[in-house]
Amino acid sequence: MKTFISFLTTASLALLSSTVLAQSSLSANSIWQDIENTVTCAGCETLLVTLQALAHLGNDAFVAIIASVCILSGAEDADVCTGAIELEGPIIAHDLREMTIPSKTSQLFCTTFFGLCDYPAITPYTVPFPKPKPATSRPAASGKTPIQVAQFSDIHVDLSYTTGANYNCTKNICCRPYTASDAPGKTAYPCGPNGNHHCDSPKTLEQSLYTAIEQFAPNAAFSIFTGDVVEGAVWLVNQAEVTTDLQNAYTTMSDTLKMPVYAAVGNHDAAPVNSFPPQAINTTISSQYVYDTLSSSWKQWIGASAATQADNYGAYSYKLPSQNLRIISINTNLYYKENFWLYEQTIERDPDGQLAWFVTQLQVAEDAGERVWVLGHMPLGSGDALHDGSFYLDQVVNRYSATIAAMFFGHTHKGEFQLSYSNYAAQTAANAVMTSYICPALTPTSGSPAFRVYSVDPVTYGILDYTEYSTSLEASTYQTTGGPIWSPYYSAKAAYGPSVGITAASAELTPAFWHNLTTVFQANDTLFQQFNARKSRGYGVSACTGSCKTGTICQLRAAQAQYNCVAVTPEIDFKKAKRDGVQTGEGHGHGHGECGGSKAKEILMSLVGNQEELRNAIDRRMVMMMMM
Ligand SMILES: *[C@@H]1O[C@H](CO)[C@@H](O)[C@H](O)[C@H]1NC(C)=O
Ligand SMILES: *[C@@H]1O[C@H](CO)[C@@H](O)[C@H](O)[C@H]1NC(C)=O
Ligand SMILES: *[C@@H]1O[C@H](CO)[C@@H](O)[C@H](O)[C@H]1NC(C)=O
Ligand SMILES: *[C@@H]1O[C@H](CO)[C@@H](O)[C@H](O)[C@H]1NC(C)=O
């Protein structure tokens, strides 16, 4: 029934809202009062009682009223309000209808949506393992000639990118003719052909990435892609676009890259954005088409058997034929706080059974003496990771730390890393057990486009070094018709090795190495500021001192989310942060949802954030309704 952009006019919204309001004891004023009083966790739960009553009126009423409040508050452009709430609203309404208030679920909801409750305590659980951990440890580097592996991430290709369209629009991604005045020839801010910091990647930029990988790593054994194909105009994205975008990107990869690509599913690779309902949920909304599309795109590289696994929930385990290496690609959306399906009344301990499957696959690898790389989209210690799932996964990483050589993620758009420990309370080089390598994005929204080439021990599959490559949007040659020109940006071992005392080409960058680097960061602020600038390829950098620096180092040492020092903060005005280009709490968490992407969450949050504006809007609204 719903169309691609079912744009409800203000008039029909007003009609629907006033009818619904007349039939219930709810009024815009009473909703407003609840919102205005919402400055505490208890107050948030009162607000949820109101929103729950709204949800019980049905999805259409919930969507109409929240969209109408959004439009009147000026939180987003009207088309964004309507499109985003129409897509994501039914999922949130589903959560609210089933919710017991108060409960762990309602507390978690208030943490994520409004920042008004502390994270609820983790539900204790000891993950069962088929065998006890053997007395083996991380193997020493072999000294054999390394192999090369490329990693790229967060390509966010916008097939509607229009050269000459306005790059200075009011939405989170521009370079599209959203309105007549945004069209080429009509705007004072025309974008070039190869990309802009206010826009997702044009196809030309995506193609130049694969060409550059072939240029700089012609002999790479394979490449890894850690997810997020789809662009960020999330209020417009539907199933047809997701399918087209995924097929288009994977076809371009296979046409351009001579090496195989082992990929993971990103949170943007579904419509509604972030919507990955676990199978246990009773809903007609499904992301099976995502899994079907990925499974058939990936089959050329992972074979029929692993492709069949990927069709279940996007995860697969694949032993490379010519390497003693198993790739285990997991769907991190099942632990992602903006996958609103996870706010079930009884929060599932192991959505889709992925955790148990992960253990099974690692046991297979351990028994066979295989080495393992874990791929995923969202780093498991990120501020976006639900604490419970992160805790359970980290138990698995600790158990199999002698088998897993390294883990690889994207999502943050930043070049960074995270460490797992066997003892987070007393972190040392000796108890650092695993490194998660986090690759920056292709999309230029948070810095110049980048990718990495790793130098890899061919026996242990430990990482000996990586070189990050970038193409600067600020270069005079960037918009040339030949495409962006890429060059090496930095090498991890050259940049950080001397300070840690590890410089030999054959030495592994072990978890102990990265832990020692975080210790050097504390002592050598010059080196830390260089690292901080490199995270965004020098884009929008300001000195990171005080709590920014301690928070950043804390996040580097937290592949388990409960230790990441990300503060839950109320009343963030996302819209203002976005417009002003403010980096909110960078280094731990991220800004305006550039990788999160839920517009509905920003909109609900802005109900708390724009109190004065919203009050005036609702007053106008009440007057309007009385006149009808
Ligand atoms: C965007 O447009 C505004 C005026 O509408 C102008 O002040 C601002 O500098 C422009 N931003 C960029 C990045 O060009
Ligand atoms: C699933 O939801 C539908 C519609 O809300 C309902 O009629 C049905 O009883 C539910 N099934 C289960 C097993 O809860
Ligand atoms: C890390 O630092 C500790 C303590 O200074 C040292 O014993 C260890 O060798 C270092 N390890 C690496 C890999 O640099
Ligand atoms: C701190 O790091 C900088 C940048 O790598 C380096 O040049 C300098 O020698 C280091 N200082 C100390 C005291 O190690």
Side-chain angles (χ1 to χ4, degrees):
M1 256 163 63
K2 311 265 177 197
T3 53
F4 174 33
I5 318 169
S6 171
F7 186 91
L8 298 175
T9 62
T10 310
S12 65
L13 264 175
L15 197 63
L16 183 49
S17 316
S18 57
T19 311
V20 168
L21 290 177
Q23 285 168 353
S24 72
S25 60
L26 294 168
S27 70
N29 233 350
S30 72
I31 293 175
W32 167 244
Q33 272 168 14
D34 284 340
I35 291 167
E36 195 184 35
N37 292 334
T38 301
V39 291
T40 62
C41 186
C44 179
E45 288 176 334
T46 306
L47 173 61
L48 291 193
V49 172
T50 304
L51 293 175
Q52 185 177 54
L54 204 52
H56 278 305
L57 297 176
N59 286 348
D60 289 347
F62 184 83
V63 165
I65 291 180
I66 297 294
S68 131
V69 170
C70 170
I71 292 167
L72 289 165
S73 75
E76 292 287 347
D77 291 350
D79 55 336
V80 176
C81 285
T82 311
I85 297 293
E86 188 161 301
L87 288 165
E88 297 181 59
I91 306 174
I92 296 166
H94 182 278
D95 292 340
L96 288 164
R97 279 192 292 271
E98 314 236 315
M99 195 178 282
T100 300
I101 304 166
S103 64
K104 178 168 178 174
T105 305
S106 68
Q107 189 183 341
L108 189 62
F109 191 96
C110 285
T111 308
T112 298
F113 281 82
F114 301 107
L116 287 168
C117 295
D118 285 333
Y119 251 108
I122 281 176
T123 302
Y125 175 58
T126 304
V127 178
F129 298 111
K131 294 180 187 173
K133 185 170 181 164
T136 49
S137 57
R138 209 180 167 75
S142 72
K144 297 241 164 63
T145 306
I147 59 169
Q148 268 69 52
V149 175
Q151 184 183 9
F152 55 99
S153 202
D154 297 83
I155 61 177
H156 292 287
V157 182
D158 185 0
L159 298 178
S160 299
Y161 184 102
T162 306
T163 301
N166 181 13
Y167 66 76
N168 190 6
C169 71
T170 55
K171 318 266 199 255
N172 66 333
I173 64 156
C174 302
C175 302
R176 285 182 173 203
Y178 291 114
T179 66
S181 61
D182 291 328
K186 304 284 189 214
T187 172
Y189 303 101
C191 62
N194 295 332
N196 186 287
H197 287 305
H198 300 281
C199 312
D200 270 335
S201 309
K203 195 74 193 166
T204 52
L205 175 57
E206 184 201 12
Q207 271 155 336
S208 85
L209 165 72
Y210 308 139
T211 306
I213 291 173
E214 285 292 346
Q215 177 194 344
F216 288 105
N219 301 317
F222 57 92
S223 62
I224 54 182
F225 166 53
T226 35
D228 268 8
V229 165
V230 177
E231 45 80 16
V234 298
W235 64 99
L236 298 176
V237 176
N238 63 359
Q239 176 170 341
E241 186 195 328
V242 167
T243 307
T244 302
D245 287 357
L246 292 174
Q247 287 171 341
N248 184 294
Y250 284 108
T251 301
T252 307
M253 281 176 219
S254 81
D255 287 351
T256 321
L257 291 169
K258 294 184 197 78
M259 61 194 87
V261 180
Y262 305 117
V265 58
N267 60 293
H268 273 272
D269 300 333
V273 66
N274 311 329
S275 170
F276 293 87
Q279 280 144 17
I281 292 181
N282 182 14
T283 175
T284 54
I285 299 175
S286 166
S287 285
Q288 187 57 46
Y289 71 95
V290 172
Y291 304 140
D292 293 347
T293 307
L294 292 176
S295 170
S296 59
S297 294
W298 292 347
K299 190 175 170 184
Q300 59 184 314
W301 299 304
I302 63 177
S305 167
T308 302
Q309 286 181 340
D311 204 19
N312 294 330
Y313 45 85
Y316 64 85
S317 170
Y318 177 63
K319 163 70 176 55
L320 276 58
S322 55
Q323 313 277 348
N324 186 32
L325 180 67
R326 177 175 295 273
I327 299 265
I328 303 182
S329 176
I330 60 172
N331 181 352
T332 58
N333 298 306
L334 299 175
Y335 321 101
Y336 177 43
K337 72 175 186 187
E338 292 191 15
N339 178 2
F340 300 134
W341 292 113
L342 303 177
Y343 295 74
E344 299 164 77
Q345 182 42 43
T346 304
I347 297 171
E348 273 188 273
R349 177 179 285 153
D350 184 11
D352 282 337
Q354 180 171 244
L355 185 73
W357 171 85
F358 188 38
V359 169
T360 306
Q361 294 305 317
L362 284 162
Q363 190 61 56
V364 165
E366 182 181 279
D367 289 346
E370 297 163 354
R371 307 294 297 152
V372 169
W373 279 11
V374 175
L375 312 188
H377 177 64
M378 172 191 69
L380 302 177
S382 144
D384 283 348
L386 293 174
H387 288 187
D388 291 40
S390 178
F391 171 51
Y392 308 149
L393 286 159
D394 198 48
Q395 292 179 39
V396 180
V397 170
N398 266 278
R399 162 65 184 81
Y400 293 99
S401 62
T403 293
I404 305 171
M407 312 209 288
F408 301 87
F409 301 93
H411 183 64
T412 69
H413 294 191
K414 305 279 197 295
E416 45 192 336
F417 62 91
Q418 286 174 3
L419 293 166
S420 305
Y421 293 86
S422 58
N423 182 359
Y424 285 88
Q427 296 167 318
T428 63
N431 66 30
V433 296
M434 193 60 60
T435 309
S436 293
Y437 288 89
I438 303 168
C439 182
L442 173 71
T443 186
T445 52
S446 0
S448 283
F451 69 91
R452 288 177 172 181
V453 177
Y454 295 87
S455 175
V456 180
D457 187 306
V459 177
T460 67
Y461 295 89
I463 302 303
L464 308 179
D465 194 8
Y466 69 78
T467 300
E468 205 164 288
Y469 294 83
S470 182
T471 174
S472 170
L473 263 68
E474 282 64 51
S476 60
T477 51
Y478 185 76
Q479 301 293 356
T480 54
T481 48
I485 296 163
W486 295 76
S487 57
Y489 179 48
Y490 75 98
S491 130
K493 197 171 271 176
Y496 304 122
S499 304
V500 178
I502 304 278
T503 52
S506 58
E508 187 190 353
L509 303 179
T510 57
F513 170 91
W514 291 107
H515 172 85
N516 284 0
L517 179 62
T518 64
T519 306
V520 176
F521 283 163
Q522 289 171 319
N524 186 340
D525 192 56
T526 307
L527 193 68
F528 173 77
Q529 298 304 335
Q530 289 173 352
F531 167 80
N532 187 55
R534 286 183 188 119
K535 278 181 20 177
S536 59
R537 286 77 70 210
Y539 180 69
V541 176
S542 50
C544 177
T545 58
S547 62
C548 174
K549 180 170 176 177
T550 51
T552 299
I553 291 174
C554 179
Q555 172 71 85
L556 296 175
R557 292 176 176 169
Q560 197 194 125
Q562 65 170 315
Y563 299 109
N564 64 19
C565 304
V566 174
V568 177
T569 45
E571 298 191 32
I572 295 171
D573 187 341
F574 277 97
K575 177 125 170 151
K576 190 163 187 313
K578 177 176 72 191
R579 288 267 165 84
D580 298 350
V582 174
Q583 294 192 319
T584 51
E586 279 306 329
H588 44 300
H590 52 79
H592 63 267
E594 60 198 2
C595 36
S598 167
K599 277 281 155 208
K601 187 190 130 192
E602 292 183 22
I603 288 163
L604 280 188
M605 192 133 189
S606 72
L607 300 186
V608 176
N610 290 327
Q611 297 194 5
E612 193 63 34
E613 237 177 288
L614 184 58
R615 165 166 229 139
N616 293 336
I618 289 183
D619 285 349
R620 285 197 304 277
R621 166 81 180 170
M622 293 304 286
V623 170
M624 203 173 90
M625 278 169 52
M626 281 186 281
M627 283 171 11
M628 283 180 66

